[in-house]
Amino acid sequence: LLNSDESAEIIAAFEEAGFHVYSEIRKGNVNAREYALRKVMQIDSLVASGVSPQNISVVGTSKGGYIAQYVATLVDADLNYVFVASFQESDISSVSEIRWSGRVLNIYEKSDPFGVSAIARTHLSMSRIKEYQDYELNTGMGHGFLFKENTGWIEPAIAWAKEGARQN
C-alpha cells in the first residue's frame, strides 16, 4: 500500500499535468468488483453532470489496477484506463468475468510477477476495446517500481490520458 507521502507525490504529478484528481486510498482488503461499483457510480455522476467520457481516465496500480479493470468491465462509456502492475496470465481463468472497454494502457515491469502483456485479455474484450497498448518497463525493481513517484510509469499514464482527451 502507498503511504500518504507516496500517494501525495503521485497525485501531485497528475495535478501538475493539468488533471483534476479524485483519489481514495483503500482501507483494508476490499472486494475489487464491489469497490469498482462505487467508482462506476462516481463516474456516472461525472458524465451526468456533463463531463465527456473521453475526459475521464481511471488509473489503478496493483490491486487498484484490478479495481480499475472491473470499472472498465462495468462502466458503459469509452473512458481512458491505465492498469499498472495488475495483470498475470492466470487472470484469464481466475478473473474471467473481466471484459475491458474504452482505451486501455497496460503498464508493467519486466521483473514484476505482475509483469506481463495483457494482450490475451484484449482477445476476450475485442468488441468493447477502442484502443490497447502495452508499456513495458525494465527497472529491475520488481513490484516496488510503482510505490513512489516514478516517471517510468507516471509519464506514460499522463500521456495516455491526455491523448484520450484530445480525441474528444
Side-chain angles (χ1 to χ4, degrees):
L1 294 174
L2 296 174
N3 67 39
S4 59
D5 292 337
E6 293 165 333
S7 62
E9 290 173 2
I10 292 167
I11 291 166
F14 281 91
E15 289 176 338
E16 288 170 15
F19 293 96
H20 297 279
V21 178
Y22 297 89
S23 176
E24 180 179 328
I25 296 178
R26 289 182 325 279
K27 293 183 176 42
N29 192 19
V30 299
N31 177 289
R33 188 177 196 289
E34 289 174 15
Y35 200 86
L37 286 169
R38 290 182 22 209
K39 301 296 130 195
V40 169
M41 289 190 307
Q42 292 172 337
I43 291 165
D44 288 346
S45 274
L46 286 171
V47 172
S49 74
V51 176
S52 171
Q54 291 81 9
N55 289 332
I56 300 173
S57 296
V58 178
V59 179
T61 63
S62 196
K63 184 162 187 174
Y66 283 94
I67 293 168
Q69 290 180 59
Y70 274 107
V71 171
T73 299
L74 299 167
V75 78
D76 189 26
D78 283 335
L79 309 181
N80 303 297
Y81 296 95
V82 181
F83 308 136
V84 186
S86 57
F87 184 78
Q88 294 181 307
E89 290 176 5
S90 62
D91 290 349
I92 296 297
S93 60
S94 64
V95 279
S96 60
E97 67 275 15
I98 290 177
R99 299 285 189 273
W100 296 338
S101 62
R103 295 179 67 251
V104 176
L105 175 63
N106 175 51
I107 300 176
Y108 60 94
E109 161 54 45
K110 189 174 182 176
S111 64
D112 183 357
F114 291 88
V116 298
S117 168
I119 195 76
R121 177 70 76 197
T122 67
H123 299 306
L124 300 172
S125 307
M126 286 304 266
S127 65
R128 301 187 66 212
I129 292 179
K130 186 174 179 179
E131 184 178 354
Y132 173 82
Q133 191 173 80
D134 275 327
Y135 191 92
E136 181 183 84
L137 298 169
N138 194 7
T139 68
M141 297 173 63
H143 202 62
F145 83 97
L146 57 85
F147 295 121
K148 62 178 132 187
E149 183 184 4
N150 177 327
T151 56
W153 73 267
I154 293 174
E155 288 177 1
I158 288 171
W160 186 259
K162 284 184 173 184
E163 177 62 28
R166 278 193 290 270
Q167 292 180 12
N168 190 10

